Structures are given as C-alpha cells and as structure tokens.
Amino acid sequence: MLAACGQDDGPDFCGDHALFHGQHQNETAELVVEMSAQGRIDSSVQMLYAIAGEAATNARLGETDNVFRLDTASACSDATVEVESDTGTVLANYASECGADNELKQVNVLLFDAFPELDEVMVHVTTPVTEKHFVIHRQCERAIFRWR
C-alpha cells in the first residue's frame, strides 16, 4: 500500500473568507459600536434568536458583559440596555456616557463565550478618528478584514 501527503491547493477559509462569507452572511451576528465626539458610545447587536432560542438570546444580550467590554482611557457609565425581538431576530441596543476627552482603545467581543452556538460576528467600530470593519470567526485565529 502506498500513501502520500500533498499540499491542499483549495481556498483557505480564514484567508479567503470573502469566497465563503456570502454563503452564511444571513446567519452572522452583527455588532456595531459608535463613539461620538462628545464621548457617548452607542452599540447594537443583531442576531438570529434561532441560535440559542428567543428567551435565552434575549436574556444573554440583556447583560452587557455577555456582549462586549470597552477598553477606554477612563471609565464609562454603566450601559443602558434595550432588547427587542421580532420575526426571528433579536436587536439589543446599549448606550454609555464616556466623556468627551475619553479614548476608545479596544472593543473586546465576548459573544462567543455567551453563545457557544455562534460561529461568526461582523464588527463595525466608529470613533471620531477612525472606522474599522472586520469579521471574527470562531475557527480563525485573527480578525478578518477582507470579508466582502
């Protein structure tokens, strides 16, 4: 019996994610974080509640610690949270006051810990000085910046 290994010339899921993203885009959660020049941070998460069931999804998204953690130069106020569900999706909105002189250093996405059933999150972060868009996928080591 003869066996051999060879290099796979097929596309890499993480490196070539743009080839695959359209196939599952409708099942992907989306996190939007926007910081105004006045230091207000408005965030939202939209996802299918079929991922964990409507009641469980609503409850988990009602806790900011299940969704994200903001690393800022100085502490922000506790977020106000509103969660609503409709026709298969849940939309959660969060608002915090952080102060006009504050700086958003990093957004830590915690959704994978709260939702083991979730595989991918599209993230959009906007501040007065920058804008970033990327995808985080459970099986990829790094954020994916070319996903469209």
Side-chain angles (χ1 to χ4, degrees):
M1 176 176 251
L2 181 62
C5 295
Q7 185 175 359
D8 182 7
D9 291 331
D12 171 48
F13 182 80
C14 297
D16 299 318
H17 195 75
L19 299 174
F20 305 101
H21 187 73
Q23 298 169 7
H24 59 263
Q25 181 174 344
N26 294 337
E27 301 165 8
T28 301
E30 184 171 15
L31 171 63
V32 176
V33 178
E34 297 176 345
M35 183 177 201
S36 72
Q38 294 76 34
R40 179 180 168 96
I41 296 183
D42 290 302
S43 307
S44 65
V45 172
Q46 184 169 352
M47 63 188 297
L48 297 173
Y49 61 69
I51 289 174
E54 184 175 6
T57 301
N58 287 354
R60 292 178 201 171
L61 291 179
E63 300 287 331
T64 308
D65 292 340
N66 289 330
V67 180
F68 60 85
R69 185 179 61 249
L70 303 174
D71 288 341
T72 53
S74 58
C76 299
S77 68
D78 290 338
T80 59
V81 181
E82 295 177 6
V83 180
E84 56 188 60
S85 53
D86 184 34
T87 61
T89 62
V90 175
L91 175 64
N93 292 298
Y94 312 88
S96 296
E97 294 294 335
C98 297
D101 295 329
N102 210 341
E103 176 186 347
L104 178 60
K105 296 179 179 183
Q106 184 169 316
V107 176
N108 298 297
V109 179
L110 307 174
L111 286 165
F112 291 129
D113 295 333
F115 294 92
E117 312 88 341
L118 183 63
D119 287 326
E120 185 168 289
V121 179
M122 292 186 293
V123 181
H124 309 276
V125 179
T126 305
T127 71
V129 296
T130 191
E131 191 171 327
K132 295 185 179 187
H133 305 280
F134 54 93
V135 168
I136 302 171
H137 196 284
R138 188 177 292 279
Q139 75 182 40
C140 300
E141 194 173 297
R142 295 180 183 83
I144 302 166
F145 289 93
R146 285 196 51 218
W147 49 276
R148 293 185 185 189

